[in-house]
Amino acid sequence: AQAREVDRIAIEELGIPGRLLMEHAGLLAALRLLELPWNRAGRVGILCGRGNNAGDGYVVARVLHSRGVAVRLLEGGPTVALPDDAAANRALVQQLGLELTALDSFTTSSALEAELSTHALLVDALLGTGFQGSVRAPLDAWIHAANLAKQRHSIPIAALDLPSGLDADDGAPSNATIRADWTLTFVAAKVGFRRQGAKAWTGPVYVIPIGTPPALLERVLALKA
């Protein structure tokens, strides 16, 4: 809630466009990805859901592509449901000719696992901070397949903002939770990351700024204290 309040104030009171915040977040996340240890000669698979977390994923894809990295978008759910900023960034990667594949085109979890294992790195942009409760089908199967690709084929996973399926407030995993090698979280580390056992799901956490002034975060934290 605090992270979303930072976004709201930045957009509504300071006049910073949401798309600019998304661009900043995705750009710096992509640059951080390029510093992490994975095989640059391979292809990056970015799993995108239906929210603004997917929008961050589309920006990451575009930035990596501009750096000469082979990128593939694996999308879940109808793209007509995307928020405006995420939809705009999807349109950009589409214009660039990046590969877009529907996750539900794989009829079994094992088929998806096999496909995901052909990538050098997976980026989790399925669920954001608004997630609570249980992961519903078919998202649960997609998360399961990604974790199996990591476990059986040593494909590293980087999560954007938080591992999909992890509760940002209490750090508890749900019925299906990405087990990330690294988490690139936006604005500030989420409260749940400090809870015992959460690191097994997040891996090392890197805080990625999104272009909001530091005083804004301090203001929000004071309001919620």
Side-chain angles (χ1 to χ4, degrees), residues 136-218:
R136 293 177 292 182
L139 260 171
D140 56 348
W142 301 338
I143 290 173
H144 181 62
N147 283 339
L148 286 178
K150 168 188 165 73
Q151 177 186 339
R152 295 175 177 173
H153 308 281
S154 301
I155 310 300
I157 302 176
L160 296 183
D161 214 10
L162 77 168
S164 292
L166 191 75
D167 189 299
D169 291 328
D170 65 18
S174 65
N175 56 306
T177 305
I178 287 287
R179 192 176 287 273
D181 292 270
W182 312 282
T183 295
L184 283 58
T185 196
F186 301 124
V187 180
K190 307 307 180 277
V191 175
F193 294 172
R194 301 198 298 264
R195 303 299 170 87
Q196 185 175 6
K199 190 173 182 179
W201 302 96
T202 66
V205 174
Y206 299 92
V207 176
I208 306 297
I210 65 169
T212 55
L216 177 51
L217 180 59
E218 294 170 7

Side-chain angles (χ1 to χ4, degrees), residues 8-20:
R8 186 197 68 76
I9 295 174
I11 294 168
E12 296 180 9
E13 296 185 21
L14 301 184
I16 304 175
R19 188 168 166 186
L20 182 59

